Amino acid sequence: DTGVSQNPRHKITKRGQNVTFRCDPISEHNRLYWYRQTLGQGPEFLTYFQNEAQLEKSRLLSDRFSAERPKGSFSTLEIQRTEQGDSAMYLCASSLEIASYNSYEQYFGPGTRLTVT
Amino acid sequence: AQSVTQLGSHVSVSEGALVLLRCNYSSSVPPYLFWYVQYPNQGLQLLLKYTTGATLVKGINGFEAEFKKSETSFHLTKPSAHMSDAAEYFCAVTMISNFGNEKLTFGNGTRLTFIP
């Protein structure tokens, strides 16, 4: 168990560029979450996957944001035409839920810090 | 809708002193409650959780929290703080939404620092 990993750890981009982040969850975890954390605030929910299906998206997730989880393993979060307001820490979390057991515990990765100049 | 309020964005204590970080929640259904810790430039680590059962829950690193339904509170305590506890602490609540989504709603965090 190597934990949740995220790449890159830091990304600096110019306004208007596209960026893509990757999250590798704990291998057997079937649920995956993306959150966004801005300075001085707690993380805010963006989107949720159960296996490969994206089942819920926050209203925070504008049309410029898209997330995928092909084959129910790693996930990517893409932001198109970045804006300065997109500058934040993007956190990924995973959890395991099976019919007979639910720990309700989400394991977080270290995050990707995005700076839009 | 659910929400979390953490009273005090910044708490300073002396090493060895009692730590008390306050959290109040709002939820229309019985909540599941969590405390997470975040060290600089790192992700969040679960300290403890309340789902059902005993209302006093013990977590890692000597922390504990008590669920008080009548006060809608879930305050975090540690009897004797250590310098290594300096970090940001987040209280969170979840309820099971459609499709089994257990999304967390976080408070704004409380930064714990130490008085030299």
Side-chain angles (χ1 to χ4, degrees):
Chain A
D1 179 0
T2 58
V4 178
S5 61
Q6 293 187 245
N7 288 287
R9 294 291 307 275
H10 299 92
K11 179 70 176 179
I12 300 174
T13 191
K14 293 184 178 180
R15 185 166 51 94
Q17 298 294 305
N18 299 343
V19 294
T20 299
F21 310 141
R22 177 179 170 123
C23 170
D24 287 273
I26 294 172
S27 59
E28 68 271 21
H29 282 188
N30 54 349
R31 293 180 169 181
L32 188 145
Y33 301 80
W34 285 98
Y35 293 85
R36 181 171 68 187
Q37 184 179 21
T38 54
L39 205 61
Q41 304 292 317
E44 295 175 291
F45 168 77
L46 291 179
T47 190
Y48 158 65
F49 290 85
Q50 181 155 305
N51 299 309
E52 68 276 8
Q54 186 177 21
L55 298 183
E56 188 167 343
K57 294 191 291 186
S58 163
R59 284 177 291 179
L60 293 174
L61 216 63
S62 75
D63 291 344
R64 297 184 296 106
F65 288 70
S66 63
E68 295 181 340
R69 192 184 183 196
K71 303 179 183 178
S73 55
F74 71 91
S75 176
T76 59
L77 178 68
E78 180 183 15
I79 309 174
Q80 297 182 327
R81 304 181 304 282
T82 52
E83 302 173 355
Q84 287 189 321
D86 298 330
S87 295
M89 175 79 86
Y90 290 84
L91 294 164
C92 175
S94 70
S95 69
L96 173 66
E97 188 273 337
I98 55 177
S100 60
Y101 173 75
N102 190 344
S103 71
Y104 302 102
E105 293 183 15
Q106 293 184 24
Y107 293 81
F108 282 80
T112 295
R113 183 171 296 283
L114 173 66
T115 302
V116 182
T117 62
Chain B
Q2 53 192 7
S3 64
V4 174
T5 302
Q6 292 185 239
L7 298 175
S9 60
H10 191 187
V11 170
S12 291
V13 298
S14 300
E15 191 167 22
L18 169 72
V19 172
L20 171 62
L21 305 182
R22 299 178 186 273
C23 172
N24 288 88
Y25 70 90
S26 172
S27 177
S28 57
V29 297
Y32 297 156
L33 295 158
F34 305 82
W35 275 98
Y36 282 84
V37 61
Q38 186 176 34
Y39 297 99
N41 299 315
Q42 294 187 26
L44 282 74
Q45 180 183 10
L46 181 66
L47 278 177
L48 49 79
K49 64 181 180 183
Y50 168 78
T51 53
T52 58
T55 56
L56 181 63
V57 293
K58 295 184 184 299
I60 61 172
N61 301 339
F63 285 94
E64 61 183 38
E66 186 171 11
F67 169 59
K68 293 187 176 181
K69 184 178 179 180
S70 61
E71 299 177 8
T72 61
S73 69
F74 191 57
H75 302 330
L76 181 72
T77 61
K78 181 172 182 177
S80 178
H82 192 271
M83 296 277 286
S84 61
D85 295 324
E88 188 92 21
Y89 291 81
F90 292 95
C91 182
V93 63
T94 191
M95 52 176 282
I96 310 301
S97 70
N98 294 336
F99 310 112
N101 182 359
E102 297 165 2
K103 60 183 176 182
L104 293 164
T105 299
F106 288 89
N108 284 336
T110 298
R111 181 169 299 278
L112 179 65
T113 59
F114 284 80
I115 302 167

